[in-house]
Amino acid sequence: MSERIAEVRRDTKETQIRVRVNLDGTGQAHLSTGIGFFDHMLDQIARHGLIDLDIDAKGDLHIDGHHTVEDVGITLGMAVAQAIGDKKGITRYGHSYVPLDEALSRVVVDFSGRPGLAMDVKFTSGAIGAFDTQLTYEFFQGFVNHALVSLHVDNLKGHNAHHQCETIFKAFGRALRMAMTPDPRSAGVIPSTKGTL
């Protein structure tokens, strides 16, 4: 399998974002979004997905974090789609349950070629530091629309919003890792009866 690395720039009047991914990395991350808790969550994706992730984002944070978080999701989705290529030989499906103290989340992903997000999360707080918890949905919506994946995100338990959010991002990283891992039994084969994804 060739190197699965991509770098994408996305510049708008609201944000300027650069994302570089290595899907076969070791979980190294260099993150600068201007939102500390969001950087912490992106680091979970890198560490638990074993994805080397460089993200530099400059956005209109004087308004709020919405455009920055959403556009990082979009740009990360674009980079993952580019890096994964034609999807030959990947496992395709990934899932993970992750606990953190009282919180438990489940994330399931399918590199289906069709964008879809089903998310059931009732955060117990509207904000974690400078991060608006509503933006979790916007991040994942941006990601699925551009990575072309189906994604199910469920927080099953949790009282602490920090724990709820962290279990989601950790489970997302681990689900991605499983789905993107090459399957030695189907090397060079697209994992679909249609012959395309």
Side-chain angles (χ1 to χ4, degrees):
M1 186 171 285
S2 60
E3 281 191 334
R4 300 188 299 175
I5 297 172
E7 184 167 338
V8 174
R9 292 193 67 94
R10 185 175 189 272
D11 295 324
T12 72
K13 291 181 179 178
E14 298 166 339
T15 60
Q16 297 80 50
I17 296 171
R18 181 188 65 83
V19 172
R20 185 180 189 277
V21 297
N22 177 356
L23 302 185
D24 303 303
T26 59
Q28 301 301 307
H30 299 93
L31 307 164
S32 178
T33 67
I35 306 171
F37 184 77
F38 186 40
D39 286 350
H40 181 45
M41 294 302 98
L42 294 169
D43 194 30
Q44 304 306 320
I45 297 172
R47 297 292 175 90
H48 292 275
L50 291 181
I51 299 165
D52 289 346
L53 187 56
D54 292 298
I55 297 178
D56 183 57
K58 293 176 178 60
D60 51 4
L61 297 181
H62 62 285
I63 297 174
D64 69 6
H66 190 289
H67 299 140
T68 298
V69 174
E70 180 181 27
D71 289 2
V72 167
I74 289 169
T75 312
L76 178 59
M78 294 166 65
V80 168
Q82 184 177 318
I84 206 160
D86 62 12
K87 304 175 195 168
K88 285 182 179 176
I90 66 167
T91 300
R92 176 177 170 176
Y93 300 99
H95 63 271
S96 182
Y97 286 80
V98 169
L100 175 55
D101 296 345
E102 89 298 345
L104 174 66
S105 293
R106 174 184 62 215
V107 174
V108 184
V109 66
D110 173 14
F111 275 80
S112 60
R114 298 181 305 280
L117 174 63
M119 186 167 162
D120 185 5
V121 179
K122 296 173 181 65
F123 283 110
T124 59
S125 176
I128 308 165
F131 181 77
D132 180 347
T133 53
Q134 294 181 95
L135 299 183
T136 308
Y137 181 90
E138 303 304 328
F139 169 79
F140 287 120
Q141 186 68 74
F143 179 85
V144 301
N145 285 344
H146 293 270
L148 302 178
V149 301
S150 295
L151 183 68
H152 289 252
V153 179
D154 297 282
N155 175 240
L156 305 176
K157 297 178 181 179
H159 303 298
N160 180 293
H162 186 132
H163 295 170
Q164 288 176 293
C165 201
E166 189 162 334
T167 57
I168 289 165
F169 277 85
K170 285 178 175 176
F172 176 63
R174 289 195 166 262
L176 282 182
R177 176 178 165 185
M178 179 185 290
M180 297 186 303
T181 295
D183 182 347
R185 294 182 62 194
S186 63
V189 176
I190 293 179
S192 171
T193 55
K194 294 190 294 291
T196 186
L197 287 171

